[in-house]
Amino acid sequence: MHHFGNPNFELIRHDVVEPLLLEVDQIYHLACPASPVHYKFNPVKTIKTNVVGTLNMLGLAKRVGARFLLTSTSEVYGDPLQHPQKETYWGNVILSALSLSPKRRCVFFFHGIF
């Protein structure tokens, strides 16, 4: 919250499924719903957010040379065997395709595959 008073900071709410043409220094991609209840409400939109939205944000980052951060929720790891989870905890299930897919695209972008 301390960034809100900084004139060099602007928080933008945007549907990442739609392209965004801005000049930015950093992108924090926090767009995916963080609960199975929300995933199930509109599963097609969730998939579009994960796939198209991540590609759009990666494309923007590449175009303007911005730093990019993709986050995911612990929900993708299934019900935890330990709580609270430590950073070394890998989860109770194999990563879902929805979670792994954006992460792989980030790696591909980093290595210049896209």
Side-chain angles (χ1 to χ4, degrees), residues 30-65:
L30 317 172
C32 186
S35 166
V37 172
H38 296 108
Y39 301 155
K40 293 175 186 175
F41 177 73
N42 191 342
V44 173
K45 180 67 173 176
T46 298
I47 291 169
K48 285 182 176 181
T49 298
N50 279 334
V51 176
V52 177
T54 300
L55 286 173
N56 283 342
M57 293 299 99
L58 285 168
L60 174 61
K62 184 176 182 178
R63 182 178 62 78
V64 300

Side-chain angles (χ1 to χ4, degrees), residues 18-40:
E18 302 299 325
L20 183 63
L21 300 175
L22 289 175
E23 299 298 319
V24 297
D25 299 316
Q26 300 174 0
I27 299 170
Y28 298 87
H29 182 22
L30 317 172
C32 186
S35 166
V37 172
H38 296 108
Y39 301 155
K40 293 175 186 175

Side-chain angles (χ1 to χ4, degrees), residues 3-100:
H3 292 300
F4 289 131
N6 184 332
N8 294 320
F9 176 81
E10 182 178 359
L11 176 67
I12 299 170
R13 285 186 64 137
H14 176 76
D15 182 349
V16 295
V17 173
E18 302 299 325
L20 183 63
L21 300 175
L22 289 175
E23 299 298 319
V24 297
D25 299 316
Q26 300 174 0
I27 299 170
Y28 298 87
H29 182 22
L30 317 172
C32 186
S35 166
V37 172
H38 296 108
Y39 301 155
K40 293 175 186 175
F41 177 73
N42 191 342
V44 173
K45 180 67 173 176
T46 298
I47 291 169
K48 285 182 176 181
T49 298
N50 279 334
V51 176
V52 177
T54 300
L55 286 173
N56 283 342
M57 293 299 99
L58 285 168
L60 174 61
K62 184 176 182 178
R63 182 178 62 78
V64 300
R67 298 182 80 180
F68 182 84
L69 174 71
L70 172 70
T71 64
S72 65
T73 172
S74 63
E75 292 286 341
V76 300
Y77 302 106
D79 292 328
L81 297 175
Q82 60 177 254
H83 187 74
Q85 295 112 37
K86 297 178 180 176
E87 290 295 321
T88 56
Y89 181 66
W90 284 87
N92 194 22
V93 295
I94 297 173
L95 287 175
S96 70
L98 281 179
S99 170
L100 202 51

